[in-house]
Amino acid sequence: MAILKGKVAVVTGSTSGIGLAYARAFAGAGANIVLNGIGAPADVEKTRTAIEDDFGVKAIYSPANMAEPVEIAHMISFAERTFGSVDVLVNNAGIQHVHVWTPLVEKQIPNTMKARNMDRDQVINDVLLAAQPTKEFVTAEQVASLALFLCSHDAAQITGANLSIDGGWTAA
Ligand SMILES: NC(=O)c1ccc[n+]([C@@H]2O[C@H](COP(=O)([O-])OP(=O)(O)OC[C@H]3O[C@@H](n4cnc5c(N)ncnc54)[C@H](O)[C@@H]3O)[C@@H](O)[C@H]2O)c1
C-alpha cells in the first residue's frame, strides 16, 4: 500500500544496514528518498539506482557528514530543492563502539563457538540471546516496518513514545 506516495523521506546513514532497510521500506510505500552515509561511490550509486528500479520512486544521495551541522543543512537544502519539501526524517546514522575486535551480534557467533566450545544454537540461545525469550535476532526489516507504521495516519497519535523491538528482552 503506497501510504507515502508523493512524500519525501530523508534517512541518515542509509548506505547500509538498518538505514538502508528504512529507505527501502519507505520507497516501497511510494516515498522519494534522500540517501545519506559513507560508502564507495560505485556502491552507493548501485544502492541508489536499485531503489529507483525496484520501487519506481526517485532517490538522491547526499554524502553529508552528520557530525558537521553545515553539511546537514546542505543535505536538507538539496532535498528541498530537488523535491520541494521533506516529510519524514529518520536520524539513524551512527557508529557503535564495541570492545576492540569484537564484532556486533551475529558476527560474534563463530568466535564465541570457538572460545566456549559450543555449537551455533548454544551460542545463540545461551549466550547472545540468553535474556531474550523469542531467541531470534531482530531484523532490520522489522525495525523498518515499525518506522513505516509510525509514518502512517494510523500512528498519528503515537508521539514521544519509546517503543522497543527486543524480542521481549526488557519485559522478561
Ligand atoms: N546493528 C545493531 O545490532 C545495532 C543495535 C543497536 C543500535 N544500532 C544503531 O543503529 C544505527 C545503524 O546501525 P547499523 O547496524 O545499520 O550500522 P551500519 O554501520 O550498517 O550503518 C551505519 C550507517 O551510518 C552511516 N554513518 C556513520 N557515520 C556517519 C556520519 N558521520 N555521517 C553520515 N553517515 C554516517 C554509515 O555510512 C552507514 O550508512 C547505528 O546508530 C547503530 O549504533 C545498531
Side-chain angles (χ1 to χ4, degrees):
M1 195 167 44
I3 63 168
L4 294 182
K5 192 164 175 50
K7 304 285 187 190
V8 177
V10 177
V11 185
T12 71
S14 46
T15 51
S16 68
I18 301 167
L20 180 55
Y22 288 132
R24 290 186 60 84
F26 296 154
N32 294 316
I33 302 297
V34 181
L35 284 175
N36 161 257
I38 301 159
D43 293 342
V44 173
E45 182 57 10
K46 213 185 271 180
T47 301
R48 189 192 70 73
T49 54
I51 289 175
E52 293 192 335
D53 293 346
D54 291 350
F55 303 112
V57 299
K58 192 163 168 49
I60 61 174
Y61 166 65
S62 163
N65 180 349
M66 293 300 103
E68 297 292 342
V70 171
E71 295 188 25
I72 296 170
H74 285 161
M75 177 182 71
I76 298 300
S77 304
F78 178 39
E80 289 175 337
R81 280 199 315 279
T82 307
F83 295 123
S85 67
V86 171
D87 303 288
V88 173
L89 170 65
V90 182
N91 286 312
N92 162 81
I95 53 170
Q96 194 162 328
H97 179 76
V98 291
H99 193 274
V100 185
W101 308 125
T102 306
L104 278 175
V105 200
E106 283 141 293
K107 291 179 188 156
Q108 294 173 15
I109 293 172
N111 284 346
T112 311
M113 285 169 64
K114 266 189 222 149
R116 300 198 182 205
N117 193 25
M118 288 176 157
D119 65 26
R120 186 185 162 80
D121 285 348
Q122 285 173 312
V123 169
I124 292 173
N125 292 322
D126 302 338
V127 182
L128 297 179
L129 301 182
Q132 184 173 318
T134 63
K135 304 293 181 194
E136 285 178 20
F137 294 109
V138 177
T139 67
E141 288 70 25
Q142 288 169 331
V143 177
S145 290
L146 176 58
L148 183 58
F149 170 67
L150 291 174
C151 293
S152 71
H153 179 72
D154 286 343
Q157 298 310 317
I158 302 175
T159 184
N162 186 356
L163 304 175
S164 299
I165 308 181
D166 66 0
W169 188 307
T170 47

